[in-house]
Amino acid sequence: MIRYILQRLGESAAVIALMSFVIYALIGLMPGDPIDLMINSDPRLTPADAARLRAVYGLDRPLVDRYLSWAAAAIGGDFGNSRLHVRPVLDVMPGFLLNTVKLMGLSFILSVAIAIPAGVIAARRQNSRLDHVINLLCFAGISVPVFWLALMLIILFSVMMPILPASGIASVGGGGGIMDAARHLVLPVATLTIFSVGSYTRFVRAAMIEVLRQDYIRTARAKGAGPSRIVWVHALRNAMIPVVTVIALSFGTLFSGALITETMFAYPGMGKLIYDSIMGNDYNMALVTLLFATAVTLAANLLADLAYAWLDPRISYAAGEGARP
Amino acid sequence: MTDIVRPTAPPDGMLILFARRFADHRLALASLVVLLALALLAAAAPAAEWLLGVSANSVNLTIRFAPPSLAHPFGTDELGRDLLVRLLYGGRISLAVGIAAALASAVIGTIIGLLAGYYGGKLDALLMRLTDGVIALPLLPLLIVLAAVDLTKIGLPAELARDPDVSLYRMVVIIALVSWTTVARLVRGATLSVREREFVLAAAACGAGPLRIMAVHILPNVVSPIIVATTLSVGNVILLESVLSFLGLGIQPPIASWGNMLTGAQELIWSAPQLVFWPGALIFATVIAFNFLGDGMQDALDPRAITR
């Protein structure tokens, strides 16, 4: 097991190193470059000045050279300054990260709290009218464009019935306290929850149906366990194994949803930070935030695999090959 | 002993079985009808333009935000353009980009899946690691970067890079680049089991080369998961295209797409909520219809379900 974990960690590190180069190269292909931005803000600069500046900052060197010096600085803990925030990139990130953890954490808890009972009920009454209604709602949640859902919620609850704030994390002027912060979270959390709860419910339902077919469920029934006990104790625990895995694997999707949600509600989280830094030519920030998002998604995938092995003792990764779910 | 052995009716063909099972899935059937209707309406966009005597891109600032009327059945937008006609043209783009990108990713995924499943060994390990790697990436942030790439920096002439038509192809390419993974995994899995079957061994014994075996003998036997996964991915692709276009990174104006019709919608939520409602509602309807369609096909094609 230890060997397997080490091997997977090594692989993830390799993927992150590779992605850092790919993202570095892509960021270099975005419109404009730092010198263009300097010229725009200072029209007295001549083309000769620009060329000299490019040489000073090393922008005329080959891509691989530039990447290697960036990587050397990054390994030393220096990720550069953010252009938009005029502070070191690593100083800016924690606040945004905390906001995203709040948003994603709350809507994750809410989604799971809805998905487990809904999925279990749908699986118990397979093909009943209730199952069909739940299925329809799941498909609606999976299919709705998140940015439009956000707009519709804003129109409903901030424009037509002005009861909830449409953007930000606190009222202008501040001093609103915890209730004010909570009110600002309602619509973003609702949006992200509607986006994720549909697929979670379908995972739970599919896993429960699979488990309820198993022999040990019949055994439990035969020895006289009540139907509720069978479902909530015997079946649910085993059904959770694949569900935990699939949910962890869908972390990247949840983060994509959070990016749109944060952008729509002007919610200062990691997703909005990524989007704003890409759109605002904040190269250092875009690079680091994108890499961070990649690393966290990879970690979630790794945890999913490990959780699968840990929760289901039948799975063994000793061989290390081809045993992935 | 005296029982007469009656000749049983010949078993129905697979296609009939498929159609029958598909028709059982009422939502899938309804979705098919909705999608055909949407496609027909989108195809008829020029006819609607002619009937109403308006043009999709003609700006008329004197009739901004006009309410629905005979001349403009859905009213007009913030530039006085007819909303209905733009919605129809937007549908063309969203459907075309969605289907084209889904097909392109199906082709990439099929090739990768066939190669990995047929050759196995090192190539399989390499390709599947690549697949796992792409699956593990945060999709939307990367798509935003890919969509923001300045095409002149990779050698495209400036006027071509700014051409709105090019934004169409660019969407198809970048979405296909990240969404082939499901098909690749499914095709690899199916190929692994098919390549051990007798008819593949027989073909190899007759001297068929690997290319011929993959294309003629294996591909037809792995086609049903490809169809299901591709149908399901059309919905996803339309969602990705619409959000990128909404953010101003996808389909470029004046070409209308359901996504870019909502760009700047945040300023319209007070003055003209109906302009915000329709494009999104059509994306929603189209995506949910493709998802139900794929779900119905999956049920109908699942061999376990057919023998039951």
Side-chain angles (χ1 to χ4, degrees):
Chain A
M1 190 70 190
I2 301 280
R3 240 191 88 183
Y4 173 74
I5 295 176
L6 287 177
Q7 187 198 338
R8 287 298 307 275
L9 277 175
E11 275 170 16
S12 301
V15 173
I16 289 175
L18 183 69
M19 280 311 291
S20 74
F21 179 70
V22 172
I23 295 173
Y24 188 91
L26 282 174
I27 300 253
L29 290 175
M30 295 206 310
D33 71 20
I35 309 302
D36 288 343
L37 293 168
M38 287 185 195
I39 296 174
N40 287 344
S41 57
D42 186 356
R44 284 169 306 172
L45 289 174
T46 62
D49 292 334
R52 214 171 312 126
L53 278 168
R54 283 208 167 82
V56 167
Y57 288 102
L59 288 167
D60 53 350
R61 283 156 52 210
L63 176 67
V64 178
D65 270 17
R66 280 183 284 143
Y67 169 72
L68 288 177
S69 45
W70 174 83
I75 289 168
D78 176 14
F79 290 92
N81 281 320
S82 157
R83 189 180 86 83
L84 294 176
H85 298 267
V86 211
R87 273 192 298 155
V89 164
L90 290 187
D91 290 0
V92 178
M93 266 173 55
F96 288 81
L97 186 60
L98 184 68
N99 284 333
T100 291
V101 169
K102 264 190 226 161
L103 171 65
M104 286 178 71
L106 278 173
S107 78
F108 178 76
I109 293 169
L110 202 57
S111 300
V112 171
I114 298 170
I116 289 180
V120 168
I121 290 167
R124 279 180 84 173
R125 307 201 196 156
Q126 216 183 327
N127 293 323
S128 69
R129 180 157 298 177
L130 188 62
D131 182 24
H132 287 309
V133 170
I134 291 176
N135 188 42
L136 195 69
L137 291 175
C138 288
F139 267 87
I142 293 166
S143 308
V144 71
V146 182
F147 63 98
W148 180 73
L149 174 66
L151 287 168
M152 287 295 114
L153 290 178
I154 293 173
I155 288 179
L156 273 176
F157 296 106
S158 305
V159 176
M160 291 167 81
M161 287 183 283
I163 49 176
L164 287 167
S167 69
I169 53 168
S171 297
V172 182
I178 193 156
M179 275 315 288
D180 184 52
R183 273 163 43 84
H184 280 83
L185 269 168
V186 173
L187 288 184
V189 169
T191 306
L192 195 54
T193 304
I194 294 173
F195 167 72
S196 55
V197 74
S199 51
Y200 292 2
T201 306
R202 279 171 58 82
F203 298 154
V204 173
R205 177 182 180 274
M208 274 305 277
I209 287 175
E210 195 58 40
V211 166
L212 287 173
R213 277 193 202 137
Q214 303 291 320
D215 288 340
Y216 65 82
I217 297 297
R218 205 176 311 138
T219 310
R221 199 170 287 137
K223 72 169 204 207
S228 303
R229 193 178 152 75
I230 289 175
V231 168
W232 296 104
V233 178
H234 294 260
L236 185 60
R237 277 173 61 178
N238 287 296
M240 285 323 280
I241 296 171
V243 171
V244 167
T245 314
V246 191
I247 286 182
L249 284 176
S250 69
F251 178 86
T253 314
L254 185 64
F255 184 75
S256 294
L259 188 153
I260 308 173
T261 308
E262 289 172 3
T263 310
M264 296 310 294
F265 291 100
Y267 182 93
M270 285 300 288
K272 188 166 161 46
L273 188 62
I274 290 180
Y275 176 71
D276 288 346
S277 57
I278 293 174
M279 301 311 280
N281 291 324
D282 192 345
Y283 305 105
N284 287 333
M285 186 59 108
L287 195 52
V288 173
T289 47
L290 279 168
L291 260 183
F292 182 77
T294 310
V296 173
T297 317
L298 283 173
N301 281 271
L302 183 57
L303 280 179
D305 282 0
L306 297 181
Y308 196 69
W310 180 64
L311 288 170
D312 189 342
R314 286 170 303 180
I315 311 280
S316 152
Y317 283 129
E321 262 303 319
R324 302 200 52 196
Chain B
M1 297 292 158
T2 54
D3 280 356
I4 301 162
V5 180
R6 289 173 198 281
T8 47
D12 288 331
M14 285 299 282
L15 216 61
I16 298 176
L17 262 176
F18 171 77
R20 209 173 278 158
R21 286 202 55 91
F22 182 78
D24 281 350
H25 198 306
R26 272 178 298 172
L27 282 168
L29 206 60
S31 300
L32 188 62
V33 175
V34 168
L35 287 174
L36 287 176
L38 272 171
L40 273 177
L41 281 171
E49 234 175 354
W50 176 78
L51 268 177
L52 294 167
V54 295
S55 147
N57 295 327
S58 68
V59 173
N60 182 350
L61 295 180
T62 58
I63 52 165
R64 300 172 69 204
F65 303 121
S69 64
L70 223 56
H72 302 287
F74 279 51
T76 59
D77 69 3
E78 71 275 18
L79 295 174
R81 297 172 296 192
D82 183 80
L83 183 61
L84 176 63
V85 168
R86 283 185 70 76
L87 284 172
L88 296 180
Y89 271 104
R92 288 184 147 200
I93 297 299
S94 293
L95 286 172
V97 170
I99 292 170
L103 287 178
S105 59
V107 171
I108 302 175
T110 303
I111 291 172
I112 289 183
L114 276 175
L115 289 175
Y118 183 75
Y119 284 109
K122 284 233 170 65
L123 185 67
D124 180 31
L126 181 76
L127 289 176
M128 283 305 108
R129 275 295 118 85
L130 178 72
T131 312
D132 288 346
V134 173
I135 291 175
L137 296 176
L139 203 58
L140 189 64
L142 280 180
L143 276 175
I144 290 176
V145 178
L146 285 173
V149 163
D150 182 357
L151 291 178
T152 56
K153 286 198 180 177
I154 52 173
L156 222 63
E159 77 259 35
L160 206 60
R162 281 179 192 82
D163 187 345
D165 286 341
V166 172
S167 66
L168 282 179
Y169 302 113
R170 178 203 195 113
M171 277 296 101
V172 173
V173 171
I174 66 173
I175 293 176
L177 273 182
V178 295
S179 47
W180 48 268
T181 49
T182 316
V183 171
R185 281 191 156 186
L186 289 171
V187 170
R188 172 188 175 261
T191 306
L192 279 178
S193 71
V194 173
R195 75 163 184 197
E196 304 299 335
R197 301 262 291 272
E198 287 81 357
F199 61 84
V200 174
L201 295 177
C206 291
L211 214 63
R212 186 178 163 82
I213 292 180
M214 279 189 267
V216 179
H217 300 284
I218 296 182
L219 185 58
N221 287 292
V222 300
V223 81
S224 58
I226 300 179
I227 294 176
V228 172
T230 306
T231 311
L232 285 171
S233 80
V234 175
N236 253 331
V237 170
I238 292 180
L239 284 180
L240 290 175
E241 178 271 313
S242 68
V243 71
L244 289 174
S245 298
F246 165 73
L247 294 173
L249 293 162
I251 310 296
Q252 295 303 314
I255 298 180
S257 86
W258 288 336
N260 75 18
M261 289 174 74
L262 289 167
T263 311
Q266 268 129 322
E267 277 99 66
L268 298 174
I269 54 176
W270 301 92
S271 49
Q274 78 280 3
L275 291 183
V276 184
F277 176 75
W278 283 110
L282 285 173
I283 300 170
F284 186 24
T286 310
V287 174
I288 203 171
F290 271 110
N291 284 338
F292 278 132
L293 191 66
D295 196 48
M297 288 169 122
Q298 191 156 37
D299 285 359
L301 284 171
D302 187 351
R304 279 181 304 176
I306 286 177
T307 50
R308 201 193 294 152

